[in-house]
Structure formats: structure tokens, C-alpha cells
Amino acid sequence: MIGALWPLTAAALEVTNANDSGAGSLRAATNNTPVNGSITFSQSAFPPGTVTPIPITTAALPTLTRAGVTLDGGGRVAVVCAPALPSGNGLTVDA
């Protein structure tokens, strides 16, 4: 199912679209990834050799504070852009 957030394993979630929110979004993944989990990016939504923007327009993404969370682009490029937010922050990682 395109657009759904599918768990790859018990601790891995895949971003399947460039939406700001909802199933399959980076926001959903940052909200639901457990300690020592990982966030990966779908090859169909984020094709190799292209830059895919992820516009963050509603609010900054939740700060990633859970221990051991990995963001794995798998060689794909997704750009988190948040020009409309007052602070300019789209994603904060607090390790």
C-alpha cells in the first residue's frame, strides 16, 4: 500500500511519501519509532539519484530524543525544508 507507514521489522519504520503528516510521513515515523529503532526511506517515493523535498509546513517535526534511533537514507536524498516555520527548524535530533 503506497502511503502507509509499514514496519519493516519491530524496530524499523519506512517513510513512504514526502507529506508533512499522516501515514507514511517522516512526522509519523519520528512519532512512532521506538528506542533503538530506525527510519528508512522508500525507494519508490525517494528514487535514487534524485533529491526529494519534504516540506514541513504545519509545525516542526518532533525532536528525536529516543536512544539509538537511526535515520537511514539508503543512498537516497530527502531534504527537510521548513521555510514557513518561525524558527526555521524542520527536524531536531537531540542525541
Side-chain angles (χ1 to χ4, degrees), residues 12-49:
L13 295 176
E14 183 175 48
V15 178
T16 59
N17 64 61
N19 297 341
D20 181 27
S21 62
S25 68
L26 180 57
R27 183 179 304 279
T30 57
N31 277 328
N32 295 301
T33 302
V35 169
N36 296 321
S38 64
I39 298 172
T40 62
F41 294 81
S42 158
Q43 184 170 342
S44 61
F46 302 91

